[in-house]
């Protein structure tokens, strides 16, 4: 399949969305960008087209990485015990659903309440802050030592992050989050502000697609159980409340972020896509159209049995 052609064919879809504006630094990003990288695991081959090397804020895709890292630090059982696996029916930064349902844990690790809780579980180690550990782990699992924090985006997240603050304090008041709130929020805001490329996200997808083993050096990065758990949660909640829609259309575990990045882990393929124009639900319009085309042409859907 020709990736350059796929970029051209989906380009016009960019006009159907808008860049995120609720974090001011993201509003400055040029919406007219579309990039894709496809990592073929068995051939150990990475093909890219379009804006493949443009750096963008990882935003909610970081929730995949912090979840994997928390599982690495605490074990899968401990993480599963404190987080659910279902959609909320509300926006990703909802402050309503836990109060309404009286549940004692966030609905899933990809809504903001769940992601803040997951980040709060990571403790300082050998004088390394939780964020520094997540950054190191991100560089490894994305195979990119150049990943850094964007200070402007971080400051912008801090200035406009009051909903996230309210979520963290709510979790603390309910004694669900038991570590320091300020540190937990700092970790969360910083992890969202890491700058990645879709090449990086294709590498992350390839580790997930390859049962937790990095295909570029055959080293195990995460346990097989962690890879399976995280892919399952990506399938059910990775695209917010539209996960069901895309499960039918694309059929591949996927997680997107409001910075325009998405990671997908299909059988034998890791996929990274970047396009900052988002629809009402916060999903990447042209990027998901491109992923749908890839899934159809390469027969990637996991329900094709
Ligand atoms: N930093 C963003 C927030 O907290 C991440 C949201 C996202 O990408 N869905 O709202």
């Amino acid at each position: 399949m020709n990736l350059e052609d796929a970029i051209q064919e989906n380009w016009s879809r960019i006009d159907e969305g808008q860049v995120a504006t609720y974090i001011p630094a993201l509003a400055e990003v040029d919406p007219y960008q579309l990039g894709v990288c496809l990592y073929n695991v068995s051939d150990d081959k990475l093909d890219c087209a379009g804006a493949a090397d443009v750096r963008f804020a990882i935003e909610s895709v970081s929730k995949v990485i912090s979840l994997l890292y928390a599982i690495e630090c605490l074990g899968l059982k401990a993480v599963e015990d404190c987080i659910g696996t279902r959609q909320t029916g509300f926006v990703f930064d909802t402050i309503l659903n836990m109060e309404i349902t009286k549940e004692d844990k966030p609905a899933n690790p990809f809504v903001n309440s769940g992601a803040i809780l997951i980040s709060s579980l990571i403790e300082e180690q050998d004088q390394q802050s939780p964020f520094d550990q997540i950054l190191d782990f991100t560089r490894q699992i994305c195979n990119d030592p150049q990943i850094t924090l964007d200070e402007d985006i971080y400051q912008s997240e801090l200035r406009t992050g009051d909903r996230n603050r309210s979520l963290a304090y709510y979790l603390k008041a309910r004694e669900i989050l038991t570590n320091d709130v300020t540190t937990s929020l700092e970790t969360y805001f910083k992890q969202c502000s890491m700058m990645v490329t879709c090449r990086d996200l294709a590498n992350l997808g390839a580790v997930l697609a390859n049962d937790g083993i990095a295909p570029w050096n055959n080293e195990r990065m995460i346990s097989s159980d962690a890879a399976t758990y995280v892919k399952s949660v990506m399938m059910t909640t990775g695209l917010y409340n539209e996960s069901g829609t895309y499960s039918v259309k694309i059929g591949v575990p996927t997680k997107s972020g409001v910075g325009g990045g998405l990671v997908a882990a299909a059988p034998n393929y890791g996929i990274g896509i970047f396009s900052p124009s988002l629809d009402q639900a916060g999903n990447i319009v042209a990027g998901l159209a491109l992923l749908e085309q890839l899934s159809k042409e390469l027969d990637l859907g996991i329900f094709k049995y």
Side-chain angles (χ1 to χ4, degrees):
M1 161 167 194
N2 186 314
L3 294 180
E4 296 290 352
D5 290 350
I7 297 272
Q8 294 311 318
E9 282 156 29
N10 291 287
W11 184 264
S12 64
R13 305 290 303 268
I14 290 175
D15 287 324
E16 291 171 31
Q18 287 181 335
V19 292
T21 49
Y22 76 105
I23 300 168
L26 299 182
E28 290 162 23
V29 175
D30 174 9
Y32 290 98
Q33 304 187 75
L34 179 57
V36 58
C37 287
L38 184 67
Y39 198 135
N40 180 324
V41 170
S42 54
D43 294 352
D44 189 24
K45 192 166 170 285
L46 185 68
D47 284 325
C48 296
D53 293 305
V54 173
R55 287 204 181 264
F56 55 88
I58 188 169
E59 296 296 340
S60 276
V61 182
S62 71
K63 296 169 181 173
V64 171
I65 297 172
S66 54
L67 178 60
L68 288 168
Y69 188 64
I71 294 171
E72 188 73 11
C73 294
L74 287 101
L76 182 55
K77 170 84 176 62
V79 170
E80 277 192 283
D81 281 351
C82 65
I83 199 87
T85 51
R86 61 166 189 80
Q87 290 170 37
T88 59
F90 292 98
V91 289
F92 57 78
D93 56 358
T94 175
I95 51 177
L96 271 179
N97 73 303
M98 287 188 70
E99 193 61 11
I100 292 171
T101 58
K102 301 280 178 240
E103 281 169 315
D104 56 7
K105 49 186 176 185
N108 69 64
F110 297 149
V111 286
N112 289 7
S113 56
I116 293 167
L117 179 66
I118 292 295
S119 298
S120 80
L121 299 174
I122 299 162
E123 308 266 1
E124 183 176 309
Q125 240 179 47
D126 304 327
Q127 292 180 335
Q128 254 207 323
S129 70
F131 171 68
D132 284 340
Q133 295 169 53
I134 292 176
L135 178 61
D136 269 1
F137 184 69
T138 305
R139 287 172 173 163
Q140 284 168 38
I141 203 161
C142 292
N143 197 22
D144 180 2
Q146 311 293 334
I147 296 173
T148 49
L149 168 87
D150 184 299
E151 191 60 35
D152 289 344
I153 292 177
Y154 172 53
Q155 291 301 329
S156 195
E157 300 258 355
L158 277 181
R159 274 196 300 277
T160 54
D162 288 333
R163 276 182 82 89
N164 290 324
R165 280 184 195 93
S166 62
L167 286 171
Y169 282 105
Y170 174 75
L171 293 173
K172 180 86 177 182
R174 293 271 315 269
E175 297 175 359
I176 295 167
L177 188 155
T178 50
N179 276 346
D180 180 60
V181 171
T182 311
T183 311
S184 307
L185 283 165
E186 181 187 319
T187 308
Y188 174 75
F189 289 133
K190 283 187 171 170
Q191 74 180 58
C192 288
S193 311
M194 293 186 294
M195 298 301 279
V196 294
T197 64
C198 44
R199 203 178 286 271
D200 297 342
L201 299 187
N203 289 337
L204 167 63
V207 174
L208 289 166
N210 198 32
D211 196 37
I213 297 168
W216 55 88
N217 62 9
N218 285 322
E219 277 177 26
R220 179 166 288 287
M221 308 223 67
I222 51 170
S223 71
S224 170
D225 286 349
T228 303
Y229 172 79
V230 172
K231 280 183 286 190
S232 308
V233 187
M234 284 165 67
M235 195 75 217
T236 49
T237 69
L239 297 168
Y240 316 115
N241 297 309
E242 296 303 316
S243 301
T245 310
Y246 291 110
S247 169
V248 173
K249 279 191 182 177
I250 299 173
V252 171
T254 304
K255 178 78 200 90
S256 69
V258 293
L262 71 77
V263 59
N268 195 46
Y269 288 97
I271 302 162
I273 293 180
F274 166 57
S275 186
S277 172
L278 311 176
D279 66 16
Q280 293 288 328
N283 279 318
I284 301 161
V285 197
L288 284 164
L290 175 54
L291 183 59
E292 187 178 345
Q293 186 182 352
L294 282 179
S295 175
K296 296 221 160 84
E297 290 190 18
L298 298 173
D299 217 7
L300 301 180
I302 63 171
F303 302 110
K304 290 252 174 195
Y305 58 83

